[in-house]
Amino acid sequence: MVPHLITALTGPINELEQRVLESMPAIERWFRLEWMEHTPPFYSSVDLRNAGFKLAPVDTNLFPGGFNNLTPEMLPLAVQAAMAAIEKICPEAKNLLLIPEQHFRNSFYQMNLATLVRIFTMAGLNVRLGTLDESIKEPTTIALPDASTLTLEPLVRQRSRLMLKDFDPCTILLNNDLSAGTPDVLTHLHEQYLLPPLHAGWGVRRKSQHFRAYEEVAKKFAKLLGMDPWLIYPQSVAVDGLDFDTGQGLDALQAQVDAVLTKTRRKYKEYGIQEKPFVVVKPDSGSYGMGIMTVRDAKDLDDLGRRARNKMGALQDGRSVSQVLVQEGVATHERIHEAVAEPVVYMMDRYVVGGFYRVHAERAEDENLNAPGSSYVPLAFAHSSHLPAPGEKPGASAPNRFYMYGVIGRLAMLAASYELEATDPDAEDYA
């Protein structure tokens, strides 16, 4: 299924699409060489924004939910990618322990888990769910909206191995982003593969680290194509030492917002873009779409009211926010049924396995769409992202546009591999 898509079809984005299509053999070879040197994250999803003149990732999730939003046509590709990923890590793998989020009551998230169980079962693994929720003392069956069930089981730690009763896995897959910190039960495991690694969790990871790595990747890729990396990179800078309750650090935040707006205005002038630039201020660690603010003028931060400070200062699990990412805002000029939409690309190992549009009828093109009220329209990436239509006029072909989405998604995935290497606490050069 390819949804009816209305997008900006003029300007530099068409030139970028044309260049990407013409350079496809060189791009695929470049990715191939990069993956010889770097290990892709086990799985990931990337939120993209297409402003018509610019296409860039704005968030990369290393513990993606939402697999239930992929179409059934994508399932064979996901199964193949799962097989490839598992074979690289543990070729003799038989048992897979899947550890979900503790916020388990959401039926959409439950269907995401059911889809993951199906994918890895079809990849030839025995899959069972072990929960970090210590209130669950015995196997607990959850009824799903489609009349199927999932069984949650309490984790059992035996010396340096994590297992369930009568189930000893060689591989443990986290679908829990560890934003509340790393539980002791997951540490110091031996002879078991824990995926993704603990330092990929939001208790440790920072968006600013990811976008520093993405800037490096974008510059390499732009050099390959002979283009301006700004067309695929949102300028990003971290601000630390904030206290939204007392107002501490807001001067530094205001200065960085003004700096990013100034740089963006220069770029808009260079490309003849008439729109007014904006920045997005968001927590530097995972936020579930919370604590995000759009700013068009640094002076607006002078009048940040108590309600806005409360919104920015705390996340879903009560954590306070002391470090934020100031990021160049990238509007989305795409619409589905007249509602604002943004593409989300899903990957496993180094392969694009699907995607969907996140759609929000009540949000504007410069606002965060990952919010209550959003809906999802699947995309058949399984076919279109790998089979572009050469010779088509830029912007005229959905497969071409979706191939470009897959390329930018893979750049963000590559940046995540750079990021995880740079922040690996077991690496010799980790600082």
Side-chain angles (χ1 to χ4, degrees):
M1 180 185 78
V2 177
H4 178 58
L5 175 66
I6 303 170
T7 187
L9 297 178
T10 59
I13 204 73
N14 277 347
E15 296 170 22
L16 173 60
E17 183 179 313
Q18 186 68 42
R19 195 163 296 185
V20 165
L21 292 172
E22 289 173 350
S23 307
M24 189 170 67
I27 289 171
E28 297 305 326
R29 178 179 182 273
W30 183 81
F31 272 121
R32 208 160 49 240
L33 294 175
E34 286 288 332
W35 294 132
M36 289 174 67
E37 300 291 330
H38 305 281
T39 302
F42 186 81
Y43 56 2
S44 56
S45 67
V46 178
D47 296 357
L48 302 177
R49 303 277 285 202
N50 181 359
F53 55 85
K54 178 172 187 147
L55 174 65
V58 294
D59 200 17
T60 300
N61 187 354
L62 299 182
F63 301 86
F67 278 90
N68 54 304
N69 294 315
L70 307 186
T71 62
E73 291 83 2
M74 300 174 188
L75 203 58
L77 191 59
V79 171
Q80 285 182 324
M83 286 178 173
I86 291 292
E87 281 171 12
K88 281 198 305 190
I89 295 156
C90 183
E92 69 279 9
K94 182 172 69 171
N95 296 335
L96 176 75
L97 173 59
L98 179 58
I99 299 180
E101 294 281 358
Q102 285 180 254
H103 307 292
F104 195 81
R105 297 186 183 278
N106 184 309
S107 61
F108 294 105
Y109 181 69
Q110 292 168 0
M111 293 304 296
N112 158 69
L113 288 177
T115 304
L116 283 172
V117 169
R118 185 180 177 197
I119 288 170
F120 288 104
T121 300
M122 293 173 71
L125 295 165
N126 301 314
V127 185
R128 283 164 67 175
L129 299 178
T131 178
L132 291 167
D133 185 347
E134 294 180 356
S135 68
I136 293 181
K137 305 294 187 184
E138 57 187 35
T140 302
T141 300
I142 308 291
L144 302 184
D146 65 354
S148 63
T149 61
L150 287 174
T151 300
L152 278 180
E153 301 180 64
L155 294 169
V156 177
R157 179 71 186 250
Q158 290 189 0
R159 297 185 180 86
S160 60
R161 292 187 75 81
L162 187 62
M163 56 188 72
L164 306 177
K165 184 181 179 182
D166 303 322
F167 186 79
D168 188 359
C170 85
T171 305
I172 301 163
L173 179 61
L174 293 173
N175 199 240
N176 180 317
D177 65 14
L178 306 179
S179 56
T182 304
D184 289 341
V185 73
L186 297 178
T187 62
H188 307 298
L189 298 175
H190 295 296
E191 297 180 359
Q192 284 179 305
Y193 296 94
L194 183 65
L195 304 167
L198 292 177
H199 67 283
W202 281 127
V204 179
R205 187 179 177 228
R206 294 295 176 264
K207 294 180 182 180
S208 52
Q209 293 166 336
H210 175 74
F211 281 99
R212 277 197 297 272
Y214 182 79
E215 182 179 16
E216 181 183 348
V217 168
K219 286 178 178 176
K220 285 185 178 181
F221 184 79
K223 185 176 181 181
L224 175 74
L225 265 64
M227 56 174 270
D228 183 350
W230 178 76
L231 295 172
I232 57 172
Y233 168 67
Q235 300 172 83
S236 307
V237 62
V239 180
D240 203 355
L242 290 167
D243 187 326
F244 283 95
D245 282 335
T246 65
Q248 177 184 325
L250 288 183
D251 288 348
L253 174 60
Q254 196 171 34
Q256 291 296 350
V257 166
D258 191 51
V260 173
L261 284 170
T262 299
K263 290 177 183 176
T264 306
R265 283 190 202 100
R266 289 195 196 114
K267 279 294 183 181
Y268 279 24
K269 185 175 181 182
E270 178 184 340
Y271 284 95
I273 297 161
Q274 300 302 314
E275 299 179 19
K276 186 175 180 180
F278 64 98
V279 301
V280 175
V281 179
K282 51 190 170 183
D284 204 17
S285 61
S287 62
Y288 300 102
M290 299 176 68
I292 297 175
M293 178 171 55
T294 299
V295 184
R296 291 189 173 276
D297 191 319
K299 292 178 183 176
D300 294 345
L301 294 173
D302 290 334
D303 304 318
L304 201 60
R306 170 58 55 187
R307 187 175 176 185
R309 287 188 184 187
N310 289 342
K311 175 186 171 185
M312 291 299 298
L315 299 180
Q316 184 177 24
D317 52 13
R319 288 176 297 133
S320 61
V321 176
S322 62
Q323 183 167 330
V324 299
L325 185 72
V326 176
Q327 189 167 71
E328 172 193 347
V330 182
T332 178
H333 288 346
E334 296 183 328
R335 304 284 186 278
I336 293 177
H337 306 307
E338 299 183 1
V340 174
E342 65 184 8
V344 184
V345 178
Y346 273 62
M347 289 155 290
M348 194 173 291
D349 195 60
R350 57 188 180 135
Y351 306 103
V352 175
V353 298
F356 53 79
Y357 271 99
R358 182 183 289 119
V359 184
H360 205 303
E362 298 174 7
R363 291 285 172 117
E365 61 186 27
D366 62 352
E367 292 184 297
N368 169 47
L369 304 188
N370 187 12
S374 61
S375 58
Y376 305 93
V377 178
L379 296 172
F381 273 112
H383 305 292
S384 59
S385 70
H386 292 290
L387 295 173
E392 291 258 10
K393 189 170 71 173
S397 165
N400 287 353
R401 180 60 44 88
F402 298 157
Y403 174 73
M404 188 165 66
Y405 290 162
V407 167
I408 303 301
R410 284 184 287 163
L411 291 178
M413 174 173 57
L414 178 59
S417 72
Y418 281 32
E419 170 199 357
L420 292 178
E421 288 166 12
T423 58
D424 184 352
D426 295 325
E428 291 181 8
D429 58 350
Y430 178 70

